[in-house]
Amino acid sequence: MMTRFPSHVSGRLCLAAVLGCALQAAPALAEDGLQISPGVTSMTVETEDGPVEITRSRNETQLIGGVLQPLVPVPGVQPAGELEVLAALQDPNARVVDMRTTEWRVKATIPGSIHIPYTEVSMRLDELGCTGEQGKWDCASALEVFAFCNGPACPQSPTAIKAMVREGYPAEKIHYYRGGMQDWMVLGLTTAEGMF
């Protein structure tokens, strides 16, 4: 037996059904197609058991989707891990720099880091040991910089590193903590919240 509803109720039920189906499908769409590199969402490798397609899917440990960043964003820049970042936090000749936007920094950051957003770094190299101004920096006394953002798929610190080098900052004095906040938090290291 079929139940009949008034048209205004029937329309709402149809809309609810469509939205329900869309919401159920949404997670599958969000998980599929994260890029490995620009324009590449999968690659196939040959194994002893035959071809295997490697893809990326969203999971609860990722802060952002993004495209995977190279370990060395500019020749001469040195990769850094958590132990090097911890040592830099104790070194008066080094600065651990959170290069993310303010919205991300206030959520959680590495205690003892300073904040220079990636969009401002080329104007603020004086905070990292350079003298002069944008376009005319003298970085002979540059500090060791440990740059980070949201993790391996975050382009903010690589963008900032490229700007620093373009402005004359010595690449060999820049250390890229590619793991960033994503790895820092996954490893259970202490964070600071509400920092500006």
Side-chain angles (χ1 to χ4, degrees), residues 170-189:
E172 63 276 3
K173 291 217 169 195
I174 302 172
H175 308 263
Y176 176 35
Y177 175 36
R178 181 176 176 257
M181 286 310 297
Q182 179 175 301
D183 286 4
W184 190 268
M185 292 189 305
V186 166
L187 292 170
L189 292 163

Side-chain angles (χ1 to χ4, degrees), residues 106-156:
V106 297
K107 290 178 185 179
T109 193
I110 296 174
S113 67
I114 65 169
H115 185 223
I116 304 178
Y118 75 103
T119 56
E120 299 175 14
V121 74
S122 64
M123 299 174 282
R124 295 175 56 183
L125 293 180
D126 56 325
E127 297 174 45
L128 304 173
C130 299
T131 57
E133 59 187 49
Q134 187 174 2
K136 301 175 188 171
W137 291 109
D138 175 1
C139 295
S141 299
L143 298 169
E144 298 286 326
V145 169
F146 289 75
F148 73 93
C149 55
N150 277 323
C154 180
Q156 293 176 0

Side-chain angles (χ1 to χ4, degrees), residues 5-19:
F5 295 98
S7 63
H8 71 282
V9 173
S10 177
R12 286 184 191 148
L13 289 173
C14 287
L15 179 60
V18 168
L19 288 174

Side-chain angles (χ1 to χ4, degrees), residues 37-83:
S37 60
V40 177
T41 57
S42 70
M43 59 187 320
T44 302
V45 296
E46 291 297 326
T47 71
E48 292 176 2
D49 298 323
V52 174
E53 184 180 24
I54 297 175
T55 62
R56 283 183 67 214
S57 58
R58 188 166 307 281
N59 62 58
E60 67 277 355
T61 61
Q62 295 168 333
L63 292 178
I64 61 171
V67 174
L68 297 178
Q69 300 298 311
L71 194 56
V72 177
V74 174
V77 171
Q78 302 168 55
E82 293 75 25
L83 295 177

